[in-house]
Amino acid sequence: TMSSSTATNAPDATPIEPDVLAWVHWPARERPLLAILVVLGVLLAGVATGVQMNSIACGLLAIALLSAALTNYLLPIWYSLGGEGVTIRGLGQSTLLKWSRIDAARFQDDQAVLLVMPDHHSTPREFRVRFGAQRDAVADSLRQLLLDAGVPLV
């Protein structure tokens, strides 16, 4: 879902600043049949690993590692655009990318890639902002906010 007025962030219902654009990107919800196949594949890989290694623990470890690798697909990611920057919230983590810290942005069909140069690294770090179901509205708003902040679009 997306809003353009004062909203709350699920699941903890903390207020978001006014005039924010917020949305959720959740690929597993958008393609439930594929999500079921992915989960079945993870379970099958775990069982195969457990049988091959003759260890239930190894099978469970394989399931846990594969599930962790797929969290951005299986679980929702919350995004919001506000006066300070872009907030990306996922399982157990939240990142605020301040407009002033974004060095460049590249727009693609269903996402934008924001490049941030960390102080202690020589290569930029990429953050992907997936537009979700409201692709045009999100892309237009993000593009305008980036331009207003003086961020070059590459």
Side-chain angles (χ1 to χ4, degrees):
T1 58
M2 185 174 71
S3 66
S4 59
S5 60
T6 302
T8 57
N9 264 340
D12 60 352
T14 56
I16 301 176
E17 65 187 274
D19 302 317
V20 71
L21 181 66
W23 71 100
V24 176
H25 178 67
W26 191 357
R29 185 182 67 188
E30 295 166 10
R31 295 183 175 164
L33 182 58
L34 182 58
I36 290 169
L37 293 174
V38 166
V39 169
L40 289 175
V42 167
L43 294 174
L44 183 61
V47 168
T49 300
V51 168
Q52 183 68 28
M53 302 296 289
N54 197 22
S55 167
I56 293 173
C58 284
L60 293 174
L61 179 61
I63 290 171
L65 291 174
L66 288 169
S67 297
L70 293 168
T71 56
N72 285 346
Y73 176 78
L74 296 172
L75 300 176
I77 300 172
W78 288 270
Y79 296 95
S80 63
L81 305 177
E84 285 191 68
V86 181
T87 302
I88 305 170
R89 289 185 43 228
L91 179 66
Q93 60 183 341
S94 180
T95 302
L96 170 63
L97 301 173
K98 294 188 177 195
W99 300 121
S100 61
R101 300 280 298 148
I102 300 172
D103 296 305
R106 180 175 64 244
F107 281 77
Q108 298 170 346
D109 237 4
D110 62 342
Q111 68 183 351
V113 179
L114 307 180
L115 303 172
V116 176
M117 183 69 77
D119 294 331
H120 56 283
H121 289 26
S122 60
T123 58
R125 184 160 177 213
E126 291 186 354
F127 291 89
R128 296 186 185 282
V129 176
R130 304 200 189 277
F131 302 145
Q134 312 291 336
R135 184 175 61 91
D136 293 338
V138 170
D140 291 345
S141 296
L142 178 58
R143 184 177 285 111
Q144 189 58 55
L145 287 165
L146 288 166
L147 290 172
D148 290 348
V151 176
L153 304 180
V154 295

